[in-house]
Amino acid sequence: MRYIVEVEELSAEMLEKLKKNSGIIHIFSLIDNTIALETENVERIKELKGVKRVYESGKAKLMLRDALNIVGILDVHNRGFYGDGVWIGVIDSGIEISDPLVSGSIILERDFTEEGMYDPIGHGTIMARILKVVAPNISFINAKVVDRTGEADEINIMKAIEWCVNSGADIMNLSLGIPRKCDGSCPLCELVNIASERAIIVAAAGNNGPEEDSISCPANAKSCIGVGSMEKDGTVSNYSSRGSPNHLKPDIIAPGCIRYGNFKLEGTSIATPFVSASAALLLSVDDSDKKRTIDAILSTADDKGLPKWVQGHGLIRTNKALEVILCD
């Protein structure tokens, strides 16, 4: 076991005493009289004269792992499914090619902003990292539509959707949206409905809740999986956009908050890649029918007892969707 030990004075004599009962791992330079060691006899260490406190070395956990557990993705990994052979179009701010986790998975890329192929705000790279953690063996089609100001022109989004479809994307992840009232008949939504005949399209519902009819486009599209955000306590995020009793969107919810130390990432943008990558895991099992994959995701969602225009079908449960795919 590994321990952190505080002593009154880290003298040569103390070091010799510690070495007799443990293996020295590290002597900290920024903390006085503190040492890291490994031992199977921690009680003997505690009894040494001059030892003040002994801490067992803890294990930090990324909050992303909690989200993976909540929706059953780790169960799918344990079954041996990782998204092999699935291409995801990431329509966002680009993917930073210097990022070792994601750069090797980019098979095609195109800049629709005329700024060049780099990620000026980091958003697209974060989405790609989440996608890669959920479905480690996927490949990316990198479509940059968000510029350095953080905005994306609607025409460029539409051009990117067409390009991704024509390039062979199985899934498209749009962690972005245009906030406006729409019944799903705007040109962007109509394009998504057509493109959905060839690819699964997943888009963020928007962060304009809790007002009714605040869903963004293209999540308003009938054939698009619109994704809302869920908090760690199982409630729908207050900011997560809603539909209305006459407009049953979003379609599903997913974890929308990830913490890394003191940093907090939240929004329906964060929730969206959980759904896109879950679809990739299922497609890697059977890619013969994309509609079957969508039906499995929606039919096995965990109903939280809220109106459909708030939660859609409920919280995505990827492991349950996998059982449907395997049993069919």
Side-chain angles (χ1 to χ4, degrees), residues 9 16 20 61 86 99 128 151 163 166 180 186 205 208 212 218 227 237 251 262 279 286-287 300 305 314:
E9 182 183 0
E16 284 302 314
K20 287 181 181 179
K61 295 182 179 179
V86 179
D99 189 313
E151 294 184 343
W163 177 69
N166 292 331
R180 63 183 173 211
C186 73
N208 299 305
E212 293 186 16
V227 185
S237 304
D251 300 283
N262 293 327
D286 181 5
D287 65 354
T300 58

Side-chain angles (χ1 to χ4, degrees), residues 64-269:
L64 180 57
R65 187 174 180 86
D66 289 344
L68 299 181
N69 271 321
I70 288 171
V71 301
I73 287 167
L74 294 180
D75 291 342
V76 177
H77 290 176
N78 291 335
R79 299 286 294 273
F81 303 113
Y82 299 97
D84 297 73
V86 179
W87 291 12
I88 297 186
V90 182
I91 301 176
D92 212 292
S93 61
I95 300 173
E96 183 54 58
I97 61 172
S98 64
D99 189 313
L101 176 63
V102 296
S103 61
S105 300
I106 300 173
I107 53 175
L108 290 170
E109 58 184 8
R110 182 173 172 182
D111 172 30
F112 293 88
T113 69
E114 300 182 356
E115 288 182 345
M117 284 309 307
Y118 71 101
D119 184 357
I121 58 175
H123 190 272
T125 304
I126 292 171
M127 298 307 110
R129 288 183 68 89
I130 297 173
L131 289 163
K132 195 71 173 171
V133 170
V134 177
N137 293 350
I138 57 174
S139 297
F140 293 126
I141 298 177
N142 178 18
K144 179 180 176 179
V145 298
V146 179
D147 61 24
R148 63 181 180 274
T149 69
E151 294 184 343
D153 181 82
E154 185 169 4
I155 293 173
N156 287 342
I157 296 171
M158 295 174 71
K159 289 167 62 179
I161 291 170
E162 284 193 338
W163 177 69
C164 285
V165 168
N166 292 331
S167 298
D170 300 295
I171 300 164
M172 281 178 247
N173 186 92
L174 292 100
S175 288
L176 51 77
I178 299 173
R180 63 183 173 211
K181 291 190 183 298
C182 175
D183 61 1
S185 62
C186 73
L188 174 58
C189 288
E190 287 185 355
L191 174 63
V192 164
N193 287 333
I194 295 170
S196 293
E197 296 174 4
R198 296 166 59 185
I200 296 172
I201 301 181
V202 187
N207 301 327
N208 299 305
E211 288 78 14
E212 293 186 16
D213 283 325
S214 56
I215 302 289
S216 297
C217 296
N220 278 311
K222 181 179 180 180
S223 299
C224 179
I225 303 178
V227 185
S229 171
M230 189 199 76
E231 296 293 312
K232 192 174 181 181
D233 63 3
T235 62
V236 174
S237 304
N238 192 55
Y239 58 75
S240 185
S241 291
R242 272 74 161 160
S244 68
N246 296 319
H247 185 49
L248 300 182
K249 286 280 184 172
D251 300 283
I252 203 162
I253 55 174
C257 179
I258 303 172
R259 293 181 184 274
Y260 290 98
N262 293 327
F263 294 97
K264 181 179 180 181
L265 303 174
E266 64 179 354
T268 56
S269 285

